Amino acid sequence: MIDLRSDTVTKPSQEMREMMAQAEVGDDVFVEDPTVNELERYGAELFGFEAAIYCSSGTQTNQIALNIHSGPGKEVICHEDAHIYKYEGGGLMRNTGSSVRLLRGERGMMTAEEIEEWINPDNVHLPVTAVISIEDTFNRGGGAVYDFEEIKKIKKLAEKHNLPLHNDGARVFNALAENGIDPKTYGAQFDSISVCLSKGLGAPVGSLLLGNKEFIHQARRVRKAFGGGMRQAGIIAAGGLYALKNNVVRTKEDHVLAKKLGEVISKKDWALEVFPIETNIVVVKVENVEATLSKLEENGILGIAFGKSLIRFVTHLDVDAGIINQFEDLKI
Ligand SMILES: *Cc1c(COP(=O)(O)O)cnc(C)c1O
């Protein structure tokens, strides 16, 4: 089976498993796990942040960040298709009691100009605008990459209104592989970034939340309250550390493969349209999602339903150019 449902399906390599097996561990709730501490230090430094916290998932890092930035009676500004709103089980409302202002925009992109309109003035009728949250790359936008110039404008706007800027950077390395921006320059635009280690990087578990010392201190408290304090987490953190050190450099390969895949798919009768491919996500419009997916599965290929008439394929560490031949030969 070629599994292209998500870049989360990767399995740890032998070398990664060895690092995990040998990891030094301690109790991370006591901040005494040397491997977790090393992962947090490494991740924070990479993006020029003061501190980081290792969490069980990208949903958890986003939820913790927004719990700190927002609250009851307050409001998060994000895109209507943002993961933090659409795919986190209503967590923003459930965990934080926060209101949301949902903006529209092509392929998940919001502009500073559009955002400014929705920053509420001080008026008792209105929720208090608390944070702006972007997502780079944007999943529902087919892995679209934010224009870095626009990010800088959004940051300026956030500063002007004294608002924090959060980035759901589950696939931030896919963005950086395309925009060519140095991680520290990029990191300087944000007050917090959530970074997934278990997507294209191939670690089995976990995400990092980056922020300043005070923010991460608060995040430790929130993580505990959300039931996310882990003990000898160095076992899994070692996979994340290995991933950061070894697998970031190859991210671009996934993008090259995704583009090739898109070209092959666009010649197929069942593909009504292939959306622009910027990173590792290929979104294809089809007549009948269910029927196409099951025919693909009969031919050893897994994709995932991505809304009405859309199928998503994601390239990752565990697939190679062999998938191109498989798609070329495919007759469904
Ligand atoms: C995968 C993903 C997350 C986090 O997902 P988890 O499965 O909770 O790790 C967050 N944001 C985006 C955009 C994602 O694609």
Side-chain angles (χ1 to χ4, degrees):
M1 269 296 172
I2 295 177
D3 194 346
L4 301 171
R5 287 171 302 164
S6 175
D7 40 8
T8 54
V9 300
T10 56
K11 295 184 182 149
S13 65
Q14 196 52 41
E15 234 178 308
M16 184 185 280
R17 284 170 192 264
E18 275 160 27
M19 295 295 289
M20 295 171 73
Q22 289 158 16
E24 260 188 79
V25 296
D27 190 328
D28 180 47
V29 173
F30 296 154
V31 202
E32 283 173 5
D33 187 301
T35 308
V36 172
N37 293 344
E38 162 74 359
L39 170 64
E40 292 173 346
R41 194 199 54 72
Y42 187 91
E45 197 180 300
L46 187 61
F47 286 89
F49 276 82
E50 280 178 10
I53 183 169
Y54 179 56
C55 297
S56 63
S57 71
T59 298
Q60 193 172 61
T61 43
N62 280 330
Q63 289 297 316
I64 290 171
L66 296 165
N67 184 266
I68 298 169
H69 292 314
S70 192
K74 298 184 184 176
E75 188 159 86
V76 177
I77 297 181
C78 66
H79 191 277
E80 65 176 0
D81 287 331
H83 195 282
I84 59 161
Y85 170 70
K86 202 162 177 159
Y87 294 127
E88 301 190 0
L92 257 175
M93 307 78 194
R94 185 189 278 258
N95 300 324
T96 296
S98 174
S99 171
V100 281
R101 165 53 62 184
L102 303 174
L103 304 194
R104 297 221 162 114
E106 274 296 294
R107 290 167 69 74
M109 302 296 127
M110 307 182 291
T111 65
E113 204 183 341
E114 287 157 355
I115 293 168
E116 185 155 33
E117 253 186 80
W118 295 104
I119 297 175
N120 290 334
D122 186 6
N123 176 322
V124 292
H125 297 87
L126 307 171
V128 177
T129 303
V131 56
I132 301 165
S133 182
I134 73 157
E135 182 179 315
D136 196 17
T137 68
F138 200 87
N139 174 38
R140 288 286 324 170
V145 181
Y146 250 95
D147 172 7
F148 188 63
E149 291 309 310
E150 197 61 47
I151 290 179
K152 287 200 277 189
K153 283 187 201 158
I154 296 172
K155 175 62 178 168
K156 273 222 178 83
L157 174 72
E159 276 175 348
K160 182 173 133 195
H161 292 271
N162 216 3
L163 295 172
L165 180 58
H166 175 70
N167 181 2
D168 175 0
R171 295 192 179 86
V172 68
F173 291 111
N174 299 93
L176 295 174
E178 289 304 319
N179 67 16
I181 307 294
D182 158 70
K184 286 192 178 67
T185 308
Y186 182 86
Q189 305 303 315
F190 302 99
D191 297 276
S192 52
I193 310 183
S194 160
V195 181
C196 275
L197 305 168
S198 60
K199 290 223 160 115
L201 297 189
V205 186
S207 282
L208 282 174
L209 178 61
L210 316 178
N212 66 23
K213 271 195 188 131
E214 172 52 28
F215 179 83
I216 296 302
H217 178 70
Q218 281 179 270
R220 269 182 212 287
R221 183 173 279 281
V222 178
R223 186 185 67 175
K224 192 75 184 87
F226 284 179
M230 298 185 281
R231 301 299 177 174
Q232 285 69 36
I235 294 275
I236 48 177
L241 193 56
Y242 178 91
L244 276 183
K245 289 182 177 170
N246 296 279
N247 294 342
V248 170
V249 290
R250 55 155 307 285
T251 306
K252 185 96 185 175
E253 293 173 29
D254 292 343
H255 303 178
V256 172
L257 191 59
K259 285 198 178 99
K260 277 191 201 149
L261 184 61
E263 277 168 32
V264 174
I265 292 176
S266 66
K267 290 177 197 136
K268 303 286 177 185
D269 294 341
W270 50 271
L272 303 179
E273 187 183 352
V274 176
F275 289 87
I277 298 161
E278 294 184 46
T279 52
N280 65 335
I281 297 178
V282 181
V283 180
V284 185
K285 188 173 178 192
V286 297
E287 195 80 55
N288 184 329
V289 171
E290 292 293 304
T292 310
L293 280 176
S294 65
K295 278 190 214 154
L296 284 167
E297 188 168 354
E298 282 164 24
N299 286 273
I301 296 165
L302 296 177
I304 201 166
F306 205 51
K308 200 170 175 289
S309 357
L310 300 179
I311 292 178
R312 185 187 77 169
F313 301 101
V314 189
T315 56
H316 53 73
L317 199 63
D318 287 0
V319 292
D320 59 25
I323 66 168
I324 300 301
N325 300 335
Q326 187 132 352
F327 269 87
E328 270 172 349
D329 296 344
L330 186 65
K331 287 187 183 59
I332 63 169

